[in-house]
Amino acid sequence: MVRARSANVMAGPTLAVVAREAGVSVPTASKVVNGREDVAPETRRRVTEALDRLGYVRRPRFAPAGAPGLVDLVLHSLDSSRSGAVLSGVEAAAYEAGLEVVVSAAPTRGRDARPERGWPAKLTARGSSGVLFHLAELSAAQYAWLDHHRIPYVLIDPAHEPPAGVVSVGAANWQGGVCATGHLLELGHERIGVIAGHRRTMAGEARLAGYRSALASAGVRYRAEYVRHTDSDETTARLRTHELLDLPEPPTAVFVCSDRMALGVYAALAEREVRVPEEMSVVGFDDLPEARWTAPALTTVRQPLAEMAATALRLLVRMAQGECPEGTRTELSTRLVRRASTAPPPAVRPTAYGPVTAQRPTA
């Protein structure tokens, strides 16, 4: 849980007092506070107990007037459009606040994108005032480590529900799902498929719930066969699109829950010689640069990633200065961006599509 620091708490015991209480040197106590690994377990236990007993609070390291402070931005990768948007927002807000930003990609293993062991210690060695995370999730041990060392942190667009008390910034995903589906309904579509991401992710569930809510509001029957989950990449989205096209009564439009997956949808439609939007309307989600580069340009829901990142940076600054956020979850509005990939359904429609003419990838 992120803890706010008051002026009274900031006047608590010094590290020298903690070291004396634990019977160690000040440098050794400092190693424990900063997560260094070169400390004997028994020594670490004594120092940790002294920290808790005396109520020691790790001081935010924002420098006084005239010298820039330092914050860390940890991304799951440095080579995606999403990461670029997040970095842009953090940089702009940091410039306004007179801060410097250290950007790093957390080494990860597997699909869940969790940082490897030993990574938090490297983070604190830089003396950062706080951390912004744009990762799928942190482990329970890493949350506990950050909280124990009283390091302010904010999550940007987390994939899963954070623990109680953790501050995060995201988008109004349910609203976006309603807007995307509502746009297709307004055009006259009733057979609307959806390519969703992983089950049990916050964004995926909210966007799918928005889709279902829009159908219900319009009095259109929800059809479970029109809902397909993917691994959130182009390849599996391509496969799921073929499955929709193979239905006895395929949809006339599809809501794709990310622009990246929409690229796979476009590929599948091209293989089946299904024209966009004349025969199939497509709506994405994110409004990444790729949405403008596709042919036709993709109608999509804009997720304000740069603004989300800037908001997270401003929250982090206030937390490091001792303020307590009004709430733990901040959501920014989404909006539909109309381009060329949507149109009314055709008057005459085949009930099924022909076979695939190109080689389909294996799952």
Side-chain angles (χ1 to χ4, degrees), residues 193-196 199 224-231 235-251 254 264-265 268-269 271-272 280 351-354 356 360-363:
V194 59
I195 303 292
R199 291 180 173 88
E225 69 271 22
Y226 280 179
V227 179
R228 303 287 162 155
H229 290 274
T230 76
D231 288 335
T235 300
T236 49
R238 183 183 180 189
L239 291 171
R240 301 294 89 80
T241 304
H242 282 301
E243 292 172 1
L244 289 176
L245 296 176
D246 287 337
L247 292 172
E249 190 176 38
V254 61
V265 172
L269 295 175
E271 288 178 356
R272 301 291 277 267
M280 180 74 75
T351 57
Y353 291 98
V356 181
R360 288 174 61 174
T362 58

Side-chain angles (χ1 to χ4, degrees), residues 22-253:
V24 301
S25 67
V26 172
T28 297
S30 178
K31 287 181 180 181
V32 175
V33 168
N34 289 297
R36 294 275 296 275
E37 297 181 356
D38 53 339
V39 180
E42 175 60 23
T43 301
R44 184 182 302 279
R45 182 191 63 77
R46 296 204 317 272
V47 173
T48 300
E49 290 178 354
L51 290 168
D52 291 340
R53 187 164 57 250
L54 296 174
Y56 178 83
V57 176
R58 183 181 185 274
R59 270 65 171 175
R61 298 187 183 181
F62 281 116
L70 180 69
V71 296
D72 264 83
L73 169 63
V74 184
L75 303 165
H76 63 84
S77 71
L78 299 175
D79 59 356
S80 70
S81 298
R82 289 177 58 84
S83 295
V86 168
L87 177 57
S88 175
V90 170
E91 283 185 329
Y95 177 80
E96 292 176 359
L99 302 175
E100 293 183 351
V101 181
V102 174
V103 181
S104 57
T108 58
R109 292 188 180 126
R111 192 174 64 186
D112 286 342
R114 293 183 178 183
E116 293 180 349
R117 293 180 62 186
W119 166 81
K122 297 177 183 178
L123 181 72
T124 55
R126 285 194 284 271
S128 179
S129 301
V131 195
L132 298 172
F133 292 105
H134 183 49
L135 301 170
E137 64 177 321
L138 296 173
S139 69
Q142 287 157 349
Y143 279 123
W145 191 94
L146 290 161
D147 294 338
H148 178 76
H149 291 279
R150 298 172 173 87
I151 299 173
Y153 61 97
V154 179
L155 309 184
I156 302 170
D157 195 27
H160 303 283
E161 186 75 31
V166 172
V167 178
S168 67
V169 179
N173 290 295
W174 180 86
Q175 174 196 39
V178 170
C179 288
T181 311
H183 170 63
L184 294 171
L185 290 165
E186 290 171 359
L187 289 172
H189 294 276
E190 294 188 355
R191 288 154 44 190
I192 303 172
V194 59
I195 303 292
H198 293 298
R199 291 180 173 88
R200 296 182 297 278
T201 62
M202 286 201 304
E205 288 185 349
R207 293 170 194 179
L208 187 56
Y211 160 84
R212 296 191 65 165
S213 179
L215 293 180
S217 296
V220 174
R221 178 170 64 95
Y222 169 77
R223 299 172 62 161
E225 69 271 22
Y226 280 179
V227 179
R228 303 287 162 155
H229 290 274
T230 76
D231 288 335
S232 300
D233 59 28
E234 297 97 321
T235 300
T236 49
R238 183 183 180 189
L239 291 171
R240 301 294 89 80
T241 304
H242 282 301
E243 292 172 1
L244 289 176
L245 296 176
D246 287 337
L247 292 172
E249 190 176 38
T252 62

Side-chain angles (χ1 to χ4, degrees), residues 269-291:
L269 295 175
E271 288 178 356
R272 301 291 277 267
E273 298 183 353
V274 178
R275 296 173 298 162
V276 178
E278 293 86 357
E279 296 177 284
M280 180 74 75
S281 288
V282 182
V283 178
F285 202 111
D286 284 330
D287 196 26
L288 298 175
E290 294 92 319

